[in-house]
Every structure is written in structure tokens, then in C-alpha cells.
Amino acid sequence: MTKRTKIIAIANQKGGVGKTTTVVNLAAALARRSRTVLVVDLDPQANATGGLGLEKEEGVSIYPVLLGNAEIADVIQPTAYDNLNIIPSEVDLAGAEIEIARREDHLSVIRDALAPVRDSGVFDYILLDCPPSLGIVMTSSLAAADGVLVPMQAEFLAMEGLGLITNLLEQLRAGANPDLELNGILLTMVNMVATQTKEVISMVKEKFGDRVYETTIPRNVRTSEAPSYGQPVIHYDPTCKGAVAYRAFAKEFIARTPTRFN
């Protein structure tokens, strides 16, 4: 069967919601399930790069590809984990907002850059770690994606941010990317003891129904520690609550986002 590569943007304009933690651990958990995964770190902070054990390196990112100065195959890097590769980030990627904004094809530039990899069929999933802002890079990333996964902290203030990103999704569906779907909403940093958490989960499920993943990601110290060791938590401490949750989420994600295996 021909492989159908799925491009999923993991996005939330609000920082500190577990976005990059989700990218790193979803990618690692998918790779453990024999899915081939490419992470594209589009955030100049390079937390996904560090979280998968790589150092920032000048010229090794999607930035020179966007400028036409490199081929995308040349910036794909292996990680320590089978089936898992990454296009790292670097400091210069901060300039991408300005460079892309100047271009007439600003909405299609990331889609066009990823096209050779997507068309090659090498990867089951390409996961885009978007920067935490509603800027040109995020917009271009969503225009390149089949679906948007929104990690959301289970707090009332997060509801407003969720509305902003779903509005952007609708705008893109009306223009640059009519096939774009809301892959789902993943509730993170969940503390089920807190009454507010339960109320937020109830509100989100009432509004978005089955677009909300059943799996939730708990607050977990080991999950917070893992990036400082350059490891996904599913490898750093496979038995901790965070690792168990991300493995369960990966199983649910695969069922919702089929490729050649399904």
C-alpha cells in the first residue's frame, strides 16, 4: 500500500501549555510503535531540538531551505531513537517571520519546502512544532498541514486562546488550505483534584465534542525533568504517569490519524 504521509501542526499561541513536550513525546511514542516520524522544529527557542538530544547548529534548520539556500534532505538529522528524525531549529530561524512576510507566497512557503519529503513517502507523520505566536510562521505551518493538534492547559484562561487558534483555522479553511482539519484538542498539565480542571474539561468537551482527545496528560515532575536530559519522558522514565499518558495518547492519535498501517 502506498504510504500516505500526514502533516500535523502542533500549535497554540500561548506558551507554557506543553506544546513542545507533546511534540517530543508523541513523536517518540509513535516511533516506538514502528511509525516513521519527522519532527520539524519551527520554534527559534529550539526546545524540541534539545528535547530530542540535539544541539543547535548554524545552518541546520528549515531556515536555509525557506531561503532557497539548502535542500530539505540536507537538514534532516537522525536522533538516538529508531524511526525518529528531526529538522532542528537554530537562532537564525527567528528571522523567518520577516523573510516569509516579504514573500508573495508566504502562505505556501513551508508547504512547498516540505513537499519533497512528503512526496517521498519516507515518513508516516511529519510533526510541526510551531512557535507560540499567531505570526507568519504559524500561519504558513497551518497552511501546510493536514490537521492541527492543539495542546491546551486545563485552565479557564486557556479557553480564550483556544478560540483564537480555531478562528485562524477557519480562516485558512476558507482560503489557503480548505482541507485543514482540527485533528484534536489535548488537555495537558491536568490536575483532576482541582475543581476548576474538571469544569474546564467539561466546557471544552461540550463545545468541541469528540475533537477532544479522551487521553489527558497529567502534571508530572518526571515529564518536566526529561527535557533537561535531552530525552522524551517515555525513554527517561517509562513507568511514570507522564510516560504512560503519552503512550496512551499516541495510540489514540494513530486511530484518529491513519496512515498505511490502518
Side-chain angles (χ1 to χ4, degrees):
M1 181 183 295
T2 302
K3 186 180 293 189
R4 171 77 168 98
T5 301
K6 292 292 181 71
I7 300 179
I8 305 297
I10 293 83
N12 192 321
Q13 80 284 355
K14 186 177 185 298
V17 299
K19 174 182 62 67
T20 298
T21 299
T22 294
V23 172
V24 167
N25 286 288
L26 174 60
L30 291 172
R32 285 287 294 270
R33 286 180 165 270
S34 300
R35 272 59 174 184
T36 50
V37 184
L38 175 65
V39 171
V40 183
D41 191 349
L42 292 159
D43 188 342
Q45 297 177 83
N47 290 331
T49 301
L52 287 172
L54 281 77
E55 299 288 338
K56 289 183 286 188
E57 184 179 344
E58 185 176 353
V60 183
S61 73
I62 202 169
Y63 187 55
V65 180
L66 299 179
L67 297 181
N69 296 330
E71 299 294 326
I72 195 162
D74 297 333
V75 296
I76 296 174
Q77 304 295 304
T79 70
Y81 311 104
D82 291 342
N83 301 319
L84 179 51
N85 288 263
I86 185 172
I87 296 178
S89 181
E90 60 171 322
V91 174
D92 285 352
L93 192 57
E97 284 285 338
I98 297 171
E99 294 288 345
I100 295 175
R102 291 172 176 166
R103 297 173 57 155
E104 291 184 4
D105 63 345
H106 61 274
L107 283 177
S108 63
V109 63
I110 291 178
R111 179 173 58 212
D112 294 343
L114 293 174
V117 179
R118 179 177 202 162
D119 295 345
S120 73
V122 170
F123 298 102
D124 293 302
Y125 298 106
I126 300 174
L127 304 182
L128 309 181
D129 185 18
C130 300
S133 66
L134 290 174
I136 292 291
V137 171
M138 181 190 284
T139 304
S140 184
S141 298
L142 299 190
D146 298 299
V148 185
L149 171 63
V150 184
M152 173 187 164
Q153 195 170 351
E155 295 182 351
F156 283 116
L157 289 176
M159 293 290 290
E160 181 180 349
L162 181 59
L164 291 172
I165 199 163
T166 53
N167 287 342
L168 176 58
L169 186 153
E170 290 303 320
Q171 290 172 25
L172 288 166
R173 287 183 63 168
N177 190 356
D179 298 324
L180 182 63
E181 297 181 348
L182 176 60
N183 174 274
I185 298 165
L186 176 67
L187 289 153
T188 62
M189 303 182 185
V190 169
N191 175 11
M192 291 306 293
V193 176
T195 301
Q196 182 191 90
T197 295
K198 296 176 183 177
E199 291 176 353
V200 170
I201 291 174
S202 178
M203 290 171 62
V204 175
K205 287 187 173 181
E206 182 178 348
K207 183 171 183 179
F208 291 97
D210 62 4
R211 291 295 86 193
V212 183
Y213 277 95
E214 288 297 322
T215 306
T216 61
I217 309 299
R219 286 191 178 275
N220 181 248
V221 172
R222 302 296 275 175
T223 303
S224 300
E225 289 175 353
S228 63
Y229 292 90
Q231 298 179 45
V233 72
I234 72 162
H235 292 284
Y236 176 67
D237 187 349
T239 62
C240 75
K241 290 181 179 179
V244 171
Y246 272 114
R247 286 198 298 272
F249 170 54
K251 182 178 180 180
E252 191 178 355
F253 176 87
I254 288 169
R256 182 173 294 192
T257 317
T259 60
R260 77 190 196 281
F261 280 83
N262 303 74

